[in-house]
């Protein structure tokens, strides 16, 4: 059968016909409220997309893979990326062994760090105090073949010095020494030097690297801190674009050509769990940065590294983190990221072990070797939904960036505190959805496993505490190196620890629920049991089961134990069960229409015999005032802010 005959079997259906069918199915319900999804970025997502939705998107007309504006990726024949792994061992020799172990098992690039992880609760990174430590870290690793990345915070010159002293002038060494003064200022509230001095140092580091180690990028547009402080996708992208512009101006003013400046800048993004939006985010960045570079007379686009999100990672039911990381890595791979790091599932509560590192590494290897994501050029091409999202996100991010530029740029915005204020508001908006359980963390704010105990598994201080390397403690050859490219009067940055701006409130989304549950675990250790919730189920079978399940999940999020009665025949039998179980809370679970009669029978007797027990009705019945008069003290339902409500009970029951 020819292609034309095949398509004859599927006649075109007009948009008007689709809309007519949808409206008929809605039976008068509001189309906008029922079917249009409003994202946190202010984007209205329709229930379906057609080719007409992409008409007028200019970059779709003649856009091919590997060509400007690179929305379809930077490669013409494949979609390959670097499998980058983070090394967590603190001792240099142990870290070297771990690095080789990862390379033997499929890793393609290595990332080392010398700082405390501010997005999680554990120490990680290498304790590098000298050139000898650094050399031991990389002993036996072929720097001509294996890209290496160093996140030394504001100590970019130090990292470059150590690498240069080991490798010398070498055009084959690939990787980056992540120097991100703007992001670090926002994350820590501190600056190693005043703005002009710090940015001059960044420029000097980049100038030297461009000459001596041209494939080593030095300037990082780092968005992890913004992501973990609550930024939505447009804010994250807009801040990245603004920072990139400021760095381009800085480097070209320092004497680098626009092409050299662009080659020194890398973009490091966190990838969240909003699958299609995250694909669109990376594609939008490539469009925007390609157009920025075009203004400088450079043809090219962003070098993008993606890490799975820590905002989405949970302490409870941590195995779910593997699933989250998989979908996040898929978004990054489909979008065409140049390199990806999958964070181990247990990173947020302890130093990752062999198993968790293996799983993290293998997620990427599976995407490559079994799913073949690396072989398909621009896998998302032709998706009207993703193409439309890409255009909308790019447009909003550009508008955000232009506004910030008109107000003085990225660094000035951080100094004013406007970035911190904006992200605090965004974080509050996100946390409200989490508290109301409209944003779901499986195993944490929905469907908790009450048999799981995590307080003893959290190891915040595991291992030897990291020392923060001070440059004065390093060997003389490092300072000598600095003098080579910076002049005798120049010295490497050394922080005096002075807080000069408000720092970002970096956290994970699930922490508000985890804190409650950890409080309950400590309470149970001291008192023998967690607070107990008695489910007084009666009346209509379907409703009592549904509401009992809801209540079990609701209080389970704080670690409370539920006693499911599976139907209480009468008040006398219920009181006997209450006496036997000795709960702190009793929840009446039934149908709205049956509540008043049940409450009048149950609550007065319950109050008389057990005056300290909290009496709750499951649901939000219209006759709430009558139920209160009958003895109900509270109502729990889908609109209840779980954190606010559970926090009250934590205090009332003496758990907090």
């Amino acid at each position: 059968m020819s292609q034309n005959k095949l398509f004859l079997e599927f006649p075109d259906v007009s948009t008007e016909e689709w809309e007519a069918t949808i409206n008929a199915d809605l039976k008068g319900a509001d189309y906008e409220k029922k079917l249009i999804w409003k994202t946190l970025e202010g984007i209205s997502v329709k229930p379906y997309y057609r080719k007409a939705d992409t008409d007028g998107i200019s970059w779709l007309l003649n856009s091919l893979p590997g060509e400007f504006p690179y929305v379809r990726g930077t490669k013409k024949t494949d979609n390959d990326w670097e499998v980058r792994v983070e090394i967590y061992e603190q001792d240099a020799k142990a870290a070297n062994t771990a690095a080789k172990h990862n390379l033997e098992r499929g890793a393609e690039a290595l990332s080392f760090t010398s700082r405390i992880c501010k997005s999680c609760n554990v120490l990680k990174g290498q304790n590098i105090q000298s050139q000898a430590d650094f050399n031991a870290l990389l002993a036996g690793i072929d720097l001509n073949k294996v890209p290496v990345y160093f996140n030394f915070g504001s100590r970019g010159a130090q990292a470059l010095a150590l690498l240069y002293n080991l490798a010398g002038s070498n055009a084959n060494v690939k990787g980056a020494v992540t120097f991100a003064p703007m992001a670090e200022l926002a994350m820590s509230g501190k600056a190693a030097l005043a703005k002009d001095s710090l940015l001059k140092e960044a420029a000097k580091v980049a100038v030297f690297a461009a000459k001596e180690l041209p494939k080593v990028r030095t300037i990082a547009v780092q968005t992890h801190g913004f992501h973990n402080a609550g930024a939505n996708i447009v804010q994250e992208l807009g801040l990245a674009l603004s920072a990139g512009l400021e760095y381009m101006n800085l480097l070209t003013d320092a004497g680098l050509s626009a092409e050299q400046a662009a080659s020194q800048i890398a973009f490091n993004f966190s990838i969240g769990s909003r699958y299609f939006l995250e694909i669109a985010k990376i594609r939008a960045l490539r469009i925007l940065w390609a157009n920025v570079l075009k203004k400088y007379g450079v043809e090219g686009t962003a070098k993008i590294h993606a890490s799975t999100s820590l905002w989405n990672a949970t302490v409870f039911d941590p195995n779910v983190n593997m699933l989250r990381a998989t979908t996040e890595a898929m978004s990054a791979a489909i979008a065409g990221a140049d390199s990806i790091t999958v964070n181990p599932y247990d990173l947020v509560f302890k130093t990752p072990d062999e198993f968790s590192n293996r799983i993290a590494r293998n997620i990427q290897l599976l995407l490559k070797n079994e799913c073949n994501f690396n072989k398909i050029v621009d896998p998302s091409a032709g998706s009207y939904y993703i193409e439309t999202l890409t255009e909308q996100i790019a447009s909003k991010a550009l508008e955000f960036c232009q506004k910030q530029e008109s107000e003085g740029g990225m660094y000035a915005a951080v100094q004013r505190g406007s970035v911190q204020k904006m992200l605090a508001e965004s974080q509050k908006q996100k946390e409200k959805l989490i508290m109301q359980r409209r944003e779901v963390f499986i195993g944490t704010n929905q469907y908790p496993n009450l048999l799981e105990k995590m307080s003893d598994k959290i190891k915040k201080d595991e291992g030897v505490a990291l020392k923060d390397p001070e440059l004065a403690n390093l060997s003389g050859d490092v300072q000598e190196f600095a003098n080579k490219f910076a002049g005798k009067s120049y010295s490497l940055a050394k922080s005096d620890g002075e807080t000069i701006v408000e720092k970002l409130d970096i956290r994970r989304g699930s922490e508000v629920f985890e804190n409650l549950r950890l409080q309950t675990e400590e309470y149970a250790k001291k008192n023998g049991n967690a607070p107990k919730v008695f489910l007084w189920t009666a009346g209509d079978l379907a409703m009592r089961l549904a509401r009992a399940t809801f209540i079990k999940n609701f209080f389970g999020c704080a670690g409370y134990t539920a006693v499911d009665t599976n139907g209480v025949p009468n008040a006398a039998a219920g009181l006997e069960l209450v006496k036997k179980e000795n709960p702190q809370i009793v929840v009446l679970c039934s149908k709205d229409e049956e509540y008043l009669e049940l409450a009048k029978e149950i609550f007065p007797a319950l109050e008389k015999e057990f005056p300290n027990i909290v009496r709750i009705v499951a649901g939000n019945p219209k006759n709430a005032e009558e139920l209160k008069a009958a003895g109900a003290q509270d109502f729990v339902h889908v609109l209840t802010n779980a954190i606010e409500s559970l926090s009250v009970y934590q205090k009332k029951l003496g758990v907090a």
Side-chain angles (χ1 to χ4, degrees), residues 635-656:
F635 300 85
V636 173
H637 46 83
V638 292
L639 297 179
T640 300
N641 184 310
I643 289 298
E644 290 180 1
S645 178
L646 291 171
S647 295
V648 168
Y649 288 116
Q650 292 287 83
K651 292 178 181 177
K652 186 177 289 187
L653 302 180
V655 178

Side-chain angles (χ1 to χ4, degrees), residues 475-522:
S475 55
D477 53 359
V478 178
Q479 185 64 57
E480 186 180 339
F481 159 79
N483 293 335
K484 287 180 183 177
F485 72 91
K488 293 293 181 182
S489 62
Y490 175 79
S491 62
L492 294 171
K494 184 174 180 179
S495 175
D496 59 8
E498 181 183 359
T499 300
I500 60 173
V501 300
E502 180 185 355
K503 67 179 181 179
L504 296 173
D505 183 11
I506 294 173
R507 62 174 73 182
R508 292 175 295 104
S510 61
E511 283 186 34
V512 287
F513 278 93
E514 290 170 357
N515 292 338
L516 291 179
R517 195 156 162 194
L518 291 171
Q519 285 176 355
T520 303
E521 284 193 19
E522 292 303 315

Side-chain angles (χ1 to χ4, degrees), residues 413-428:
V414 173
Q415 285 186 310
R416 285 196 309 272
S418 60
V419 170
Q420 296 89 320
K421 181 180 178 182
M422 173 189 69
L423 297 188
E425 292 172 356
S426 179
Q427 185 184 83
K428 187 176 179 180

Side-chain angles (χ1 to χ4, degrees), residues 608-621:
K608 180 179 179 181
E609 195 161 343
F610 307 101
N612 295 324
I613 288 179
V614 180
R615 303 178 298 280
I616 299 175
V617 170
N620 190 23

Side-chain angles (χ1 to χ4, degrees), residues 538-553:
D540 183 86
L541 179 62
M543 285 305 298
R544 81 189 193 204
L545 288 176
R547 282 177 161 161
T549 300
F550 174 83
I551 293 296
K552 198 182 299 183
N553 274 324

Side-chain angles (χ1 to χ4, degrees), residues 366-383:
L366 285 168
L367 294 180
K368 276 195 175 190
N369 300 323
E370 296 199 18
C371 301
N372 294 322
F373 279 22
N374 59 326
K375 295 180 181 178
I376 308 301
V377 178
D378 190 16
S380 60
S383 166

Side-chain angles (χ1 to χ4, degrees), residues 578-643:
V578 169
K579 185 176 182 180
K580 176 185 174 184
E581 296 292 344
N582 192 29
Q584 285 89 344
I585 297 172
V586 169
V587 183
L588 182 57
C589 303
S590 188
K591 192 176 181 180
D592 284 3
E593 293 78 5
E594 298 180 275
Y595 270 145
L596 187 57
E597 185 178 344
L598 288 168
K600 287 179 177 179
E601 178 187 8
I602 295 165
F603 286 158
L606 194 62
E607 183 178 10
K608 180 179 179 181
E609 195 161 343
F610 307 101
N612 295 324
I613 288 179
V614 180
R615 303 178 298 280
I616 299 175
V617 170
N620 190 23
K622 294 178 180 179
N623 59 342
E625 292 304 318
E626 288 183 282
L627 288 167
K628 286 180 183 178
Q633 294 174 300
D634 198 5
F635 300 85
V636 173
H637 46 83
V638 292
L639 297 179
T640 300
N641 184 310
I643 289 298

